[in-house]
PDB file of all heavy atoms in Angstrom:
ATOM      1  N   LYS Q  41    -129.092 222.786 -26.629  1.00 93.00           N
ATOM      2  CA  LYS Q  41    -129.340 222.584 -28.134  1.00 93.00           C
ATOM      3  C   LYS Q  41    -128.241 223.536 -28.797  1.00 93.00           C
ATOM      4  O   LYS Q  41    -128.283 224.689 -28.772  1.00 93.00           O
ATOM      5  CB  LYS Q  41    -130.724 222.849 -28.542  1.00 93.00           C
ATOM      6  CG  LYS Q  41    -130.853 222.653 -30.003  1.00 93.00           C
ATOM      7  CD  LYS Q  41    -130.722 221.166 -30.303  1.00 93.00           C
ATOM      8  CE  LYS Q  41    -130.665 220.976 -31.897  1.00 93.00           C
ATOM      9  NZ  LYS Q  41    -130.382 219.565 -32.258  1.00 93.00           N
ATOM     10  N   PHE Q  46    -123.804 221.575 -42.098  1.00 77.00           N
ATOM     11  CA  PHE Q  46    -123.784 220.287 -42.633  1.00 77.00           C
ATOM     12  C   PHE Q  46    -122.466 219.476 -42.195  1.00 77.00           C
ATOM     13  O   PHE Q  46    -122.489 218.266 -42.184  1.00 77.00           O
ATOM     14  CB  PHE Q  46    -123.598 220.495 -44.166  1.00 77.00           C
ATOM     15  CG  PHE Q  46    -123.568 219.148 -44.990  1.00 77.00           C
ATOM     16  CD1 PHE Q  46    -124.645 218.454 -45.231  1.00 77.00           C
ATOM     17  CD2 PHE Q  46    -122.361 218.743 -45.472  1.00 77.00           C
ATOM     18  CE1 PHE Q  46    -124.566 217.151 -45.890  1.00 77.00           C
ATOM     19  CE2 PHE Q  46    -122.194 217.533 -46.120  1.00 77.00           C
ATOM     20  CZ  PHE Q  46    -123.375 216.808 -46.415  1.00 77.00           C
ATOM     21  N   LEU Q  88    -139.259 217.069 -31.582  1.00 91.00           N
ATOM     22  CA  LEU Q  88    -139.091 217.496 -32.959  1.00 91.00           C
ATOM     23  C   LEU Q  88    -137.563 217.858 -33.224  1.00 91.00           C
ATOM     24  O   LEU Q  88    -137.163 217.868 -34.313  1.00 91.00           O
ATOM     25  CB  LEU Q  88    -139.889 218.787 -33.187  1.00 91.00           C
ATOM     26  CG  LEU Q  88    -141.421 218.613 -33.063  1.00 91.00           C
ATOM     27  CD1 LEU Q  88    -142.101 219.987 -33.246  1.00 91.00           C
ATOM     28  CD2 LEU Q  88    -142.062 217.601 -33.936  1.00 91.00           C
ATOM     29  N   PHE Q  90    -133.732 216.985 -31.347  1.00 92.00           N
ATOM     30  CA  PHE Q  90    -132.859 216.203 -30.412  1.00 92.00           C
ATOM     31  C   PHE Q  90    -131.954 217.007 -29.558  1.00 92.00           C
ATOM     32  O   PHE Q  90    -131.238 217.809 -30.204  1.00 92.00           O
ATOM     33  CB  PHE Q  90    -132.177 215.077 -31.026  1.00 92.00           C
ATOM     34  CG  PHE Q  90    -132.999 214.194 -31.933  1.00 92.00           C
ATOM     35  CD1 PHE Q  90    -132.502 213.643 -33.048  1.00 92.00           C
ATOM     36  CD2 PHE Q  90    -134.368 213.917 -31.591  1.00 92.00           C
ATOM     37  CE1 PHE Q  90    -133.319 212.766 -33.906  1.00 92.00           C
ATOM     38  CE2 PHE Q  90    -135.176 213.073 -32.364  1.00 92.00           C
ATOM     39  CZ  PHE Q  90    -134.666 212.565 -33.572  1.00 92.00           C
ATOM     40  N   ASN Q 109    -147.421 211.358 -26.271  1.00 92.00           N
ATOM     41  CA  ASN Q 109    -148.114 212.341 -26.991  1.00 92.00           C
ATOM     42  C   ASN Q 109    -149.615 212.260 -27.030  1.00 92.00           C
ATOM     43  O   ASN Q 109    -150.331 213.187 -27.378  1.00 92.00           O
ATOM     44  CB  ASN Q 109    -147.619 212.294 -28.484  1.00 92.00           C
ATOM     45  CG  ASN Q 109    -146.220 212.741 -28.718  1.00 92.00           C
ATOM     46  OD1 ASN Q 109    -145.588 213.274 -27.723  1.00 92.00           O
ATOM     47  ND2 ASN Q 109    -145.582 212.605 -29.792  1.00 92.00           N
ATOM     48  N   TYR Q 120    -149.408 225.580 -38.735  1.00 84.00           N
ATOM     49  CA  TYR Q 120    -148.932 224.633 -39.731  1.00 84.00           C
ATOM     50  C   TYR Q 120    -149.946 223.488 -39.945  1.00 84.00           C
ATOM     51  O   TYR Q 120    -149.874 222.387 -39.441  1.00 84.00           O
ATOM     52  CB  TYR Q 120    -147.577 224.028 -39.294  1.00 84.00           C
ATOM     53  CG  TYR Q 120    -146.537 224.995 -38.997  1.00 84.00           C
ATOM     54  CD1 TYR Q 120    -145.858 225.087 -37.793  1.00 84.00           C
ATOM     55  CD2 TYR Q 120    -146.132 225.915 -39.960  1.00 84.00           C
ATOM     56  CE1 TYR Q 120    -144.869 225.936 -37.515  1.00 84.00           C
ATOM     57  CE2 TYR Q 120    -145.167 226.968 -39.672  1.00 84.00           C
ATOM     58  CZ  TYR Q 120    -144.611 226.888 -38.490  1.00 84.00           C
ATOM     59  OH  TYR Q 120    -143.539 227.754 -38.287  1.00 84.00           O
ATOM     60  N   TYR Q 122    -152.867 221.587 -42.775  1.00 92.00           N
ATOM     61  CA  TYR Q 122    -153.062 221.244 -44.285  1.00 92.00           C
ATOM     62  C   TYR Q 122    -154.108 222.068 -44.877  1.00 92.00           C
ATOM     63  O   TYR Q 122    -155.223 221.958 -44.463  1.00 92.00           O
ATOM     64  CB  TYR Q 122    -153.283 219.735 -44.300  1.00 92.00           C
ATOM     65  CG  TYR Q 122    -152.132 218.904 -43.865  1.00 92.00           C
ATOM     66  CD1 TYR Q 122    -152.159 218.375 -42.553  1.00 92.00           C
ATOM     67  CD2 TYR Q 122    -151.051 218.688 -44.649  1.00 92.00           C
ATOM     68  CE1 TYR Q 122    -151.089 217.600 -42.063  1.00 92.00           C
ATOM     69  CE2 TYR Q 122    -149.950 217.958 -44.166  1.00 92.00           C
ATOM     70  CZ  TYR Q 122    -149.975 217.377 -42.915  1.00 92.00           C
ATOM     71  OH  TYR Q 122    -148.900 216.742 -42.433  1.00 92.00           O
ATOM     72  N   PHE Q 124    -155.429 222.223 -47.667  1.00 93.00           N
ATOM     73  CA  PHE Q 124    -156.444 221.582 -48.453  1.00 93.00           C
ATOM     74  C   PHE Q 124    -157.540 220.934 -47.827  1.00 93.00           C
ATOM     75  O   PHE Q 124    -158.503 220.372 -48.509  1.00 93.00           O
ATOM     76  CB  PHE Q 124    -155.679 220.700 -49.576  1.00 93.00           C
ATOM     77  CG  PHE Q 124    -154.812 219.696 -48.944  1.00 93.00           C
ATOM     78  CD1 PHE Q 124    -155.324 218.454 -48.441  1.00 93.00           C
ATOM     79  CD2 PHE Q 124    -153.416 219.954 -48.743  1.00 93.00           C
ATOM     80  CE1 PHE Q 124    -154.438 217.623 -47.828  1.00 93.00           C
ATOM     81  CE2 PHE Q 124    -152.633 218.989 -48.181  1.00 93.00           C
ATOM     82  CZ  PHE Q 124    -153.109 217.878 -47.636  1.00 93.00           C
ATOM     83  N   GLU Q 129    -162.625 218.214 -41.577  1.00 94.00           N
ATOM     84  CA  GLU Q 129    -161.598 217.232 -42.000  1.00 94.00           C
ATOM     85  C   GLU Q 129    -160.356 217.271 -41.184  1.00 94.00           C
ATOM     86  O   GLU Q 129    -159.796 216.337 -40.777  1.00 94.00           O
ATOM     87  CB  GLU Q 129    -161.253 217.347 -43.398  1.00 94.00           C
ATOM     88  CG  GLU Q 129    -162.404 216.875 -44.429  1.00 94.00           C
ATOM     89  CD  GLU Q 129    -162.302 217.328 -45.790  1.00 94.00           C
ATOM     90  OE1 GLU Q 129    -161.426 218.275 -46.094  1.00 94.00           O
ATOM     91  OE2 GLU Q 129    -162.972 216.865 -46.717  1.00 94.00           O
ATOM     92  N   PHE Q 133    -158.907 214.387 -39.051  1.00 95.00           N
ATOM     93  CA  PHE Q 133    -157.674 213.814 -39.336  1.00 95.00           C
ATOM     94  C   PHE Q 133    -156.825 213.725 -38.051  1.00 95.00           C
ATOM     95  O   PHE Q 133    -156.184 212.676 -37.702  1.00 95.00           O
ATOM     96  CB  PHE Q 133    -156.937 214.793 -40.361  1.00 95.00           C
ATOM     97  CG  PHE Q 133    -155.433 214.497 -40.371  1.00 95.00           C
ATOM     98  CD1 PHE Q 133    -154.971 213.301 -40.921  1.00 95.00           C
ATOM     99  CD2 PHE Q 133    -154.464 215.480 -40.094  1.00 95.00           C
ATOM    100  CE1 PHE Q 133    -153.568 212.994 -41.017  1.00 95.00           C
ATOM    101  CE2 PHE Q 133    -153.165 215.168 -40.105  1.00 95.00           C
ATOM    102  CZ  PHE Q 133    -152.711 214.030 -40.531  1.00 95.00           C
ATOM    103  N   TYR Q 134    -156.621 214.862 -37.285  1.00 95.00           N
ATOM    104  CA  TYR Q 134    -156.017 214.786 -36.050  1.00 95.00           C
ATOM    105  C   TYR Q 134    -156.557 213.917 -35.010  1.00 95.00           C
ATOM    106  O   TYR Q 134    -155.865 213.157 -34.213  1.00 95.00           O
ATOM    107  CB  TYR Q 134    -155.739 216.119 -35.506  1.00 95.00           C
ATOM    108  CG  TYR Q 134    -154.779 217.099 -36.400  1.00 95.00           C
ATOM    109  CD1 TYR Q 134    -155.218 218.072 -37.072  1.00 95.00           C
ATOM    110  CD2 TYR Q 134    -153.428 216.615 -36.455  1.00 95.00           C
ATOM    111  CE1 TYR Q 134    -154.390 218.801 -37.928  1.00 95.00           C
ATOM    112  CE2 TYR Q 134    -152.573 217.413 -37.300  1.00 95.00           C
ATOM    113  CZ  TYR Q 134    -153.010 218.482 -38.028  1.00 95.00           C
ATOM    114  OH  TYR Q 134    -152.205 219.196 -38.810  1.00 95.00           O
ATOM    115  N   ARG Q 136    -158.166 211.165 -35.433  1.00 94.00           N
ATOM    116  CA  ARG Q 136    -157.983 209.762 -35.710  1.00 94.00           C
ATOM    117  C   ARG Q 136    -156.501 209.323 -35.295  1.00 94.00           C
ATOM    118  O   ARG Q 136    -156.370 208.133 -35.208  1.00 94.00           O
ATOM    119  CB  ARG Q 136    -158.146 209.480 -37.135  1.00 94.00           C
ATOM    120  CG  ARG Q 136    -159.631 209.044 -37.585  1.00 94.00           C
ATOM    121  CD  ARG Q 136    -159.685 208.465 -38.975  1.00 94.00           C
ATOM    122  NE  ARG Q 136    -159.318 209.526 -39.946  1.00 94.00           N
ATOM    123  CZ  ARG Q 136    -160.229 210.219 -40.706  1.00 94.00           C
ATOM    124  NH1 ARG Q 136    -161.520 209.997 -40.524  1.00 94.00           N
ATOM    125  NH2 ARG Q 136    -159.814 211.074 -41.504  1.00 94.00           N
ATOM    126  N   PHE Q 138    -155.468 209.856 -32.429  1.00 94.00           N
ATOM    127  CA  PHE Q 138    -155.505 209.483 -31.045  1.00 94.00           C
ATOM    128  C   PHE Q 138    -156.512 208.270 -30.964  1.00 94.00           C
ATOM    129  O   PHE Q 138    -157.334 208.047 -31.782  1.00 94.00           O
ATOM    130  CB  PHE Q 138    -156.066 210.625 -30.255  1.00 94.00           C
ATOM    131  CG  PHE Q 138    -155.103 211.817 -30.260  1.00 94.00           C
ATOM    132  CD1 PHE Q 138    -155.209 212.860 -31.099  1.00 94.00           C
ATOM    133  CD2 PHE Q 138    -154.018 211.835 -29.337  1.00 94.00           C
ATOM    134  CE1 PHE Q 138    -154.345 213.924 -31.128  1.00 94.00           C
ATOM    135  CE2 PHE Q 138    -153.084 212.877 -29.263  1.00 94.00           C
ATOM    136  CZ  PHE Q 138    -153.279 213.917 -30.176  1.00 94.00           C
ATOM    137  N   GLN Q 181    -157.256 221.837 -32.886  1.00 93.00           N
ATOM    138  CA  GLN Q 181    -156.595 220.616 -33.182  1.00 93.00           C
ATOM    139  C   GLN Q 181    -155.650 220.264 -31.896  1.00 93.00           C
ATOM    140  O   GLN Q 181    -155.484 219.112 -31.616  1.00 93.00           O
ATOM    141  CB  GLN Q 181    -155.799 220.596 -34.453  1.00 93.00           C
ATOM    142  CG  GLN Q 181    -154.629 221.552 -34.590  1.00 93.00           C
ATOM    143  CD  GLN Q 181    -153.371 221.040 -33.911  1.00 93.00           C
ATOM    144  OE1 GLN Q 181    -153.153 219.818 -33.741  1.00 93.00           O
ATOM    145  NE2 GLN Q 181    -152.535 221.930 -33.419  1.00 93.00           N
TER     146      GLN Q 181
ATOM    147  N   LYS W  85    -118.923 213.541 -37.252  1.00 84.00           N
ATOM    148  CA  LYS W  85    -119.766 214.779 -36.944  1.00 84.00           C
ATOM    149  C   LYS W  85    -119.551 215.115 -35.449  1.00 84.00           C
ATOM    150  O   LYS W  85    -119.604 216.352 -35.033  1.00 84.00           O
ATOM    151  CB  LYS W  85    -121.207 214.568 -37.330  1.00 84.00           C
ATOM    152  CG  LYS W  85    -121.487 214.662 -38.687  1.00 84.00           C
ATOM    153  CD  LYS W  85    -122.882 215.033 -39.009  1.00 84.00           C
ATOM    154  CE  LYS W  85    -123.035 215.634 -40.361  1.00 84.00           C
ATOM    155  NZ  LYS W  85    -124.393 216.080 -40.725  1.00 84.00           N
ATOM    156  N   ARG W 241    -155.969 202.916 -37.517  1.00 94.00           N
ATOM    157  CA  ARG W 241    -156.695 204.160 -37.636  1.00 94.00           C
ATOM    158  C   ARG W 241    -155.772 205.354 -38.013  1.00 94.00           C
ATOM    159  O   ARG W 241    -156.090 206.203 -38.843  1.00 94.00           O
ATOM    160  CB  ARG W 241    -157.399 204.471 -36.300  1.00 94.00           C
ATOM    161  CG  ARG W 241    -156.515 204.769 -35.109  1.00 94.00           C
ATOM    162  CD  ARG W 241    -157.255 205.186 -33.884  1.00 94.00           C
ATOM    163  NE  ARG W 241    -156.182 205.574 -32.943  1.00 94.00           N
ATOM    164  CZ  ARG W 241    -155.594 204.708 -32.063  1.00 94.00           C
ATOM    165  NH1 ARG W 241    -155.913 203.419 -32.207  1.00 94.00           N
ATOM    166  NH2 ARG W 241    -154.778 205.073 -31.147  1.00 94.00           N
ATOM    167  N   SER W 245    -155.763 207.408 -41.426  1.00 96.00           N
ATOM    168  CA  SER W 245    -155.889 208.858 -41.335  1.00 96.00           C
ATOM    169  C   SER W 245    -154.811 209.433 -42.199  1.00 96.00           C
ATOM    170  O   SER W 245    -155.070 210.401 -43.059  1.00 96.00           O
ATOM    171  CB  SER W 245    -155.628 209.306 -39.905  1.00 96.00           C
ATOM    172  OG  SER W 245    -155.979 210.657 -39.745  1.00 96.00           O
ATOM    173  N   ARG W 256    -156.507 217.410 -54.083  1.00 91.00           N
ATOM    174  CA  ARG W 256    -156.890 218.840 -53.995  1.00 91.00           C
ATOM    175  C   ARG W 256    -155.694 219.713 -54.132  1.00 91.00           C
ATOM    176  O   ARG W 256    -155.861 220.854 -54.590  1.00 91.00           O
ATOM    177  CB  ARG W 256    -157.457 219.009 -52.626  1.00 91.00           C
ATOM    178  CG  ARG W 256    -158.725 218.275 -52.425  1.00 91.00           C
ATOM    179  CD  ARG W 256    -159.368 218.564 -50.994  1.00 91.00           C
ATOM    180  NE  ARG W 256    -160.523 217.731 -50.759  1.00 91.00           N
ATOM    181  CZ  ARG W 256    -161.057 217.705 -49.528  1.00 91.00           C
ATOM    182  NH1 ARG W 256    -160.602 218.486 -48.553  1.00 91.00           N
ATOM    183  NH2 ARG W 256    -162.012 216.930 -49.307  1.00 91.00           N
ATOM    184  N   ASP W 318    -144.005 218.635 -46.557  1.00 91.00           N
ATOM    185  CA  ASP W 318    -144.585 218.527 -45.209  1.00 91.00           C
ATOM    186  C   ASP W 318    -143.447 219.017 -44.246  1.00 91.00           C
ATOM    187  O   ASP W 318    -143.905 219.771 -43.239  1.00 91.00           O
ATOM    188  CB  ASP W 318    -144.817 217.053 -44.912  1.00 91.00           C
ATOM    189  CG  ASP W 318    -146.165 216.979 -44.175  1.00 91.00           C
ATOM    190  OD1 ASP W 318    -146.814 217.969 -43.917  1.00 91.00           O
ATOM    191  OD2 ASP W 318    -146.504 215.796 -43.823  1.00 91.00           O
ATOM    192  N   GLN W 322    -143.615 222.609 -42.540  1.00 90.00           N
ATOM    193  CA  GLN W 322    -143.647 222.433 -41.058  1.00 90.00           C
ATOM    194  C   GLN W 322    -144.989 221.875 -40.737  1.00 90.00           C
ATOM    195  O   GLN W 322    -145.294 221.838 -39.426  1.00 90.00           O
ATOM    196  CB  GLN W 322    -143.266 223.733 -40.304  1.00 90.00           C
ATOM    197  CG  GLN W 322    -141.918 224.239 -40.705  1.00 90.00           C
ATOM    198  CD  GLN W 322    -141.487 225.495 -40.045  1.00 90.00           C
ATOM    199  OE1 GLN W 322    -142.299 226.018 -39.182  1.00 90.00           O
ATOM    200  NE2 GLN W 322    -140.266 225.930 -40.265  1.00 90.00           N
ATOM    201  N   THR W 326    -147.410 219.204 -36.485  1.00 92.00           N
ATOM    202  CA  THR W 326    -148.622 218.918 -35.821  1.00 92.00           C
ATOM    203  C   THR W 326    -148.931 217.456 -35.920  1.00 92.00           C
ATOM    204  O   THR W 326    -149.778 216.931 -35.137  1.00 92.00           O
ATOM    205  CB  THR W 326    -149.826 219.750 -36.376  1.00 92.00           C
ATOM    206  OG1 THR W 326    -149.703 219.595 -37.811  1.00 92.00           O
ATOM    207  CG2 THR W 326    -149.793 221.153 -36.003  1.00 92.00           C
ATOM    208  N   VAL W 327    -148.244 216.694 -36.813  1.00 93.00           N
ATOM    209  CA  VAL W 327    -148.504 215.303 -36.888  1.00 93.00           C
ATOM    210  C   VAL W 327    -147.597 214.421 -36.018  1.00 93.00           C
ATOM    211  O   VAL W 327    -148.026 213.602 -35.316  1.00 93.00           O
ATOM    212  CB  VAL W 327    -148.405 214.901 -38.422  1.00 93.00           C
ATOM    213  CG1 VAL W 327    -148.590 213.428 -38.579  1.00 93.00           C
ATOM    214  CG2 VAL W 327    -149.253 215.612 -39.320  1.00 93.00           C
ATOM    215  N   VAL W 328    -146.356 214.812 -36.090  1.00 92.00           N
ATOM    216  CA  VAL W 328    -145.406 214.010 -35.280  1.00 92.00           C
ATOM    217  C   VAL W 328    -145.517 214.442 -33.735  1.00 92.00           C
ATOM    218  O   VAL W 328    -144.997 213.612 -32.981  1.00 92.00           O
ATOM    219  CB  VAL W 328    -143.934 214.173 -35.679  1.00 92.00           C
ATOM    220  CG1 VAL W 328    -143.682 213.582 -37.030  1.00 92.00           C
ATOM    221  CG2 VAL W 328    -143.518 215.598 -35.736  1.00 92.00           C
ATOM    222  N   LYS W 330    -148.313 214.366 -32.385  1.00 94.00           N
ATOM    223  CA  LYS W 330    -149.385 213.502 -31.897  1.00 94.00           C
ATOM    224  C   LYS W 330    -148.764 212.121 -31.729  1.00 94.00           C
ATOM    225  O   LYS W 330    -147.521 211.925 -32.162  1.00 94.00           O
ATOM    226  CB  LYS W 330    -150.498 213.449 -33.045  1.00 94.00           C
ATOM    227  CG  LYS W 330    -150.995 214.838 -33.405  1.00 94.00           C
ATOM    228  CD  LYS W 330    -152.038 215.286 -32.312  1.00 94.00           C
ATOM    229  CE  LYS W 330    -152.632 216.699 -32.765  1.00 94.00           C
ATOM    230  NZ  LYS W 330    -151.728 217.796 -32.818  1.00 94.00           N
ATOM    231  N   PRO W 331    -149.467 211.145 -31.305  1.00 94.00           N
ATOM    232  CA  PRO W 331    -148.865 209.776 -31.061  1.00 94.00           C
ATOM    233  C   PRO W 331    -148.673 208.999 -32.382  1.00 94.00           C
ATOM    234  O   PRO W 331    -148.992 207.878 -32.519  1.00 94.00           O
ATOM    235  CB  PRO W 331    -149.843 209.079 -30.092  1.00 94.00           C
ATOM    236  CG  PRO W 331    -151.123 209.799 -30.301  1.00 94.00           C
ATOM    237  CD  PRO W 331    -150.834 211.194 -30.659  1.00 94.00           C
ATOM    238  N   GLU W 832    -134.095 215.056 -37.216  1.00 89.00           N
ATOM    239  CA  GLU W 832    -134.812 216.105 -36.551  1.00 89.00           C
ATOM    240  C   GLU W 832    -135.733 216.686 -37.531  1.00 89.00           C
ATOM    241  O   GLU W 832    -135.251 217.445 -38.492  1.00 89.00           O
ATOM    242  CB  GLU W 832    -133.905 217.188 -35.888  1.00 89.00           C
ATOM    243  CG  GLU W 832    -132.977 216.596 -34.877  1.00 89.00           C
ATOM    244  CD  GLU W 832    -131.986 217.675 -34.329  1.00 89.00           C
ATOM    245  OE1 GLU W 832    -131.413 218.280 -35.197  1.00 89.00           O
ATOM    246  OE2 GLU W 832    -131.877 217.786 -33.116  1.00 89.00           O
ATOM    247  N   ALA W 834    -137.581 219.107 -37.152  1.00 82.00           N
ATOM    248  CA  ALA W 834    -137.696 220.587 -37.008  1.00 82.00           C
ATOM    249  C   ALA W 834    -136.293 221.276 -37.278  1.00 82.00           C
ATOM    250  O   ALA W 834    -136.210 222.459 -36.956  1.00 82.00           O
ATOM    251  CB  ALA W 834    -138.283 220.897 -35.666  1.00 82.00           C
TER     252      ALA W 834
END
Side-chain angles (χ1 to χ4, degrees):
Chain Q
K41 179 65 191 175
F46 179 79
L88 301 177
F90 303 146
N109 293 351
Y120 301 128
Y122 296 97
F124 50 84
E129 287 167 343
F133 164 65
Y134 289 111
R136 269 193 295 261
F138 293 97
Q181 67 79 27
Chain W
K85 284 203 163 185
R241 63 172 188 279
S245 193
R256 298 181 186 173
D318 219 3
Q322 305 179 358
T326 46
V327 180
V328 294
K330 307 282 185 288
E832 297 176 308

